Amino acid sequence: GEDVEQSLFLSVREGDSSVINCTYTDSSSTYLYWYKQEPGAGLQLLTYIFSNMDMKQDQRLTVLLNKKDKHLSLRIADTQTGDSAIYFCAEITGTASKLTFGTGTRLQVTL
Amino acid sequence: ETGVTQTPRHLVMGMTNKKSLKCEQHLGHNAMYWYKQSAKKPLELMFVYNFKEQTENNSVPSRFSPECPNSSHLFLHLHTLQPEDSALYLCASSQEGLNSGANVLTFGAGSRLTVL
């Protein structure tokens, strides 16, 4: 079956790096995504990575993909209070052609 | 505004009521989705419409009834709901269905539903 797992909560100090982890089960995943949900809002796409890549960098965001272990991570450098939100990992598979989300990881940034 | 508008933002209803959630997108997208977001659970896909045709019903109980009159509008009709149906209901749209490459979903802000 398709399952995407994330830890529920992460707390970091402002200025530190945050690393949010995700594991997925479907090895045929073609694209993997990170979405961000701020309070009272819907989900917004942060970034995505194609399954033939192992890293993607976009300003403060770095996505690492380990296909062998089915592990995806999102690193946020120099974390700011505005980064406080829920971060969702999601995968899309060619066969299922639907997007499967994890539970979301709530990132709390402290001063 | 994200381009996907959901109304109402908050809804409280009794178990015998009938109500509807509305979603509207002006992005020119052809696929629309309903997701259910409950605390500490993965986001659950409920329904998918592609070019107004329902292409996915993820074993959703019949007390939830979707309607897609055109590519820009999506409704979720609710009747005889249970308290465990209380959740945030998110609408999303995408250019095409999800078997078209790195298709990105644009989400609305959600409708917070409370069933008493």
Side-chain angles (χ1 to χ4, degrees):
Chain A
E2 299 138 9
D3 238 359
V4 178
E5 294 188 358
Q6 304 177 240
S7 55
L8 290 176
F9 186 76
L10 175 68
S11 181
V12 298
R13 295 172 75 99
E14 189 178 38
D16 287 351
S17 292
S18 309
V19 180
I20 302 170
N21 294 302
C22 169
T23 56
Y24 59 97
T25 54
D26 194 328
S27 58
S28 66
S29 290
T30 52
Y31 292 92
L32 295 121
Y33 302 77
W34 285 104
Y35 280 81
K36 176 183 180 182
Q37 184 181 34
E38 295 182 353
L43 281 68
Q44 283 184 290
L45 178 74
L46 274 181
T47 187
Y48 66 87
I49 187 168
F50 186 49
S51 58
N52 69 352
M53 298 169 64
D54 50 23
M55 187 180 98
K56 181 177 180 181
Q57 187 148 7
D58 182 3
Q59 298 182 330
R60 292 191 296 123
L61 305 179
T62 304
V63 178
L64 295 177
L65 175 60
N66 181 330
K67 279 198 74 174
K68 176 175 166 288
D69 295 338
K70 300 193 191 76
H71 183 266
L72 182 74
S73 68
L74 174 70
R75 179 176 179 269
I76 305 173
D78 186 25
T79 312
Q80 303 298 306
T81 53
D83 295 323
S84 294
I86 303 175
Y87 291 81
F88 289 87
C89 167
E91 64 169 342
I92 183 170
T93 63
T95 51
S97 61
K98 67 180 184 183
L99 205 56
T100 301
F101 286 86
T103 55
T105 299
R106 182 177 294 278
L107 174 65
Q108 177 181 275
V109 182
T110 59
L111 297 173
Chain B
E1 276 298 334
T2 63
V4 178
T5 305
Q6 290 188 241
T7 53
R9 293 293 308 275
H10 299 273
L11 178 63
V12 179
M13 59 187 289
M15 289 192 285
T16 58
N17 291 160
K18 287 185 181 182
K19 298 284 184 184
S20 296
L21 306 181
K22 180 182 175 183
C23 177
E24 197 171 343
Q25 58 94 3
H26 301 289
L27 300 168
H29 289 169
N30 296 307
M32 295 187 79
Y33 311 79
W34 280 116
Y35 280 87
K36 177 183 178 183
Q37 184 179 12
S38 306
K40 298 181 183 177
K41 292 175 71 174
L43 219 59
E44 298 172 55
L45 177 65
M46 300 175 73
F47 301 104
V48 182
Y49 279 82
N50 249 318
F51 295 93
K52 302 188 299 177
E53 298 298 319
Q54 189 180 120
T55 55
E56 181 95 22
N57 176 338
N58 206 22
S59 304
V60 180
S62 60
R63 57 186 184 269
F64 295 92
S65 173
E67 180 190 358
C68 189
N70 55 61
S71 292
S72 300
H73 293 85
L74 184 65
F75 295 89
L76 188 62
H77 303 299
L78 316 168
H79 64 100
T80 58
L81 294 192
Q82 305 298 310
E84 60 265 28
D85 296 322
S86 298
L88 182 68
Y89 289 85
L90 291 164
C91 175
S93 68
S94 66
Q95 184 62 45
E96 299 203 11
L98 286 172
N99 53 356
S100 305
N103 215 349
V104 170
L105 297 186
T106 301
F107 282 84
S111 293
R112 172 74 60 188
L113 173 67
T114 303
V115 182
L116 302 175

